[in-house]
Amino acid sequence: MSLFITFEGGEGSGKSTALRKISELLIEKGYETVLTREPGGTPISEEIREVILDKKNTDMDKRTEALLYAASRRQHLVQRVWPALKEGKIVLCDRYLDSSLAYQGGARGIGLEEVLNINLFATENTYPDLTLLFDIDPKLGLARIAANASREVNRLDLEKLSFHEGVRKTFLELAARYPERFVIIDASKSPEEVVADSMKVILARLEK
Ligand code: TMP
């Protein structure tokens, strides 16, 4: 049974680390997983990622930014996600369309509907089956990043606290708008608890 699961959340929510662990646990249970991320996951999409996140591109227009994320998403779907789903795999994707809605639509202020429209074009209306929202107070998330010297700091990490608060608020609005696919995970808990909570949700979905 194929399943498209996306992991969303603000900076320092721990979702990328949890995702790797969740993939291992699913493989142990005999599931075939594909672990991938946005922006990126294919050579073309990784090149687009470099342009978007380059700290020297401070003059990037917000609609250009939204279009680049959507372009990267499209290429990643075509080359990575759709083929894996066709083969019956579980795709675990670190960020997807909801990140564009929260960051570009909400926090940057372009508007949800406009960003949704370009993304529906890019994805041909491909929504995830399940979205885990790793919810955390941005003050805590940003403090975690600051304490983690090995993590690369990107252009969006450098935004003000109010930007990250806007991201969180929009993610929570999206969870309320799409209750059938969103589950909120309390990412302020310990890494072990976060993985356990996520696994419970995913297994319930797989065994449905
Ligand atoms: P990450 O790999 O640390 O999650 O970094 C990706 C950054 O890009 C992160 O700050 C969130 C941001 N982003 C958007 O603004 N819009 C998007 O559509 C996606 C996928 C990511």
Side-chain angles (χ1 to χ4, degrees), residues 11 15 38-39 49 53 69 73 95 99-100 103-104 151 154 156:
E11 317 301 321
K15 66 181 164 40
E38 276 203 10
R49 176 186 179 93
L53 296 180
Y69 278 116
R73 179 160 303 131
R95 299 195 180 281
S99 277
S100 282
Y103 283 79
Q104 285 67 52
R151 186 187 179 283
N154 69 48
L156 281 94

Side-chain angles (χ1 to χ4, degrees), residues 56-75:
K56 74 174 184 313
N57 285 338
T58 48
D59 53 355
M60 187 180 293
D61 173 76
K62 59 188 176 186
R63 284 174 185 254
T64 305
E65 184 181 276
L67 287 163
L68 286 173
Y69 278 116
S72 160
R73 179 160 303 131
R74 167 82 196 168
Q75 191 65 28

Side-chain angles (χ1 to χ4, degrees), residues 69-204:
Y69 278 116
S72 160
R73 179 160 303 131
R74 167 82 196 168
Q75 191 65 28
H76 179 244
L77 268 180
V78 170
Q79 288 195 290
R80 198 99 204 264
V81 178
W82 285 335
L85 293 175
K86 225 181 198 164
E87 290 169 8
K89 296 185 178 152
I90 300 175
V91 176
L92 303 170
C93 188
D94 191 345
R95 299 195 180 281
Y96 185 61
L97 154 157
D98 298 298
S99 277
S100 282
L101 299 177
Y103 283 79
Q104 285 67 52
R108 288 255 190 262
I110 299 175
L112 286 192
E113 300 313 319
E114 291 202 58
V115 175
L116 183 60
N117 281 341
I118 60 162
N119 275 281
L120 293 180
F121 167 74
T123 65
E124 294 176 68
N125 305 318
T126 304
Y127 283 100
D129 298 306
L130 175 65
T131 300
L132 298 185
L133 172 57
F134 281 50
D135 180 51
I136 193 164
D137 182 334
K139 282 198 204 83
L140 185 56
L142 294 173
R144 279 184 181 171
I145 293 180
N148 180 359
S150 64
R151 186 187 179 283
E152 100 190 64
V153 174
N154 69 48
R155 193 168 57 83
L156 281 94
D157 293 337
L158 300 175
E159 290 290 339
K160 291 196 217 59
L161 181 62
S162 58
F163 176 85
H164 296 288
E165 281 167 346
V167 169
R168 183 189 197 195
K169 180 172 162 277
T170 315
F171 270 135
L172 291 171
E173 283 167 14
L174 291 168
R177 174 168 169 168
Y178 301 108
E180 66 297 340
R181 71 177 169 90
F182 261 91
V183 175
I184 299 174
I185 302 288
D186 178 355
S188 67
K189 290 189 184 175
S190 72
E192 294 74 25
E193 285 175 300
V194 166
V195 168
D197 290 351
S198 305
M199 279 300 286
K200 223 185 271 169
V201 173
I202 293 170
L203 290 176

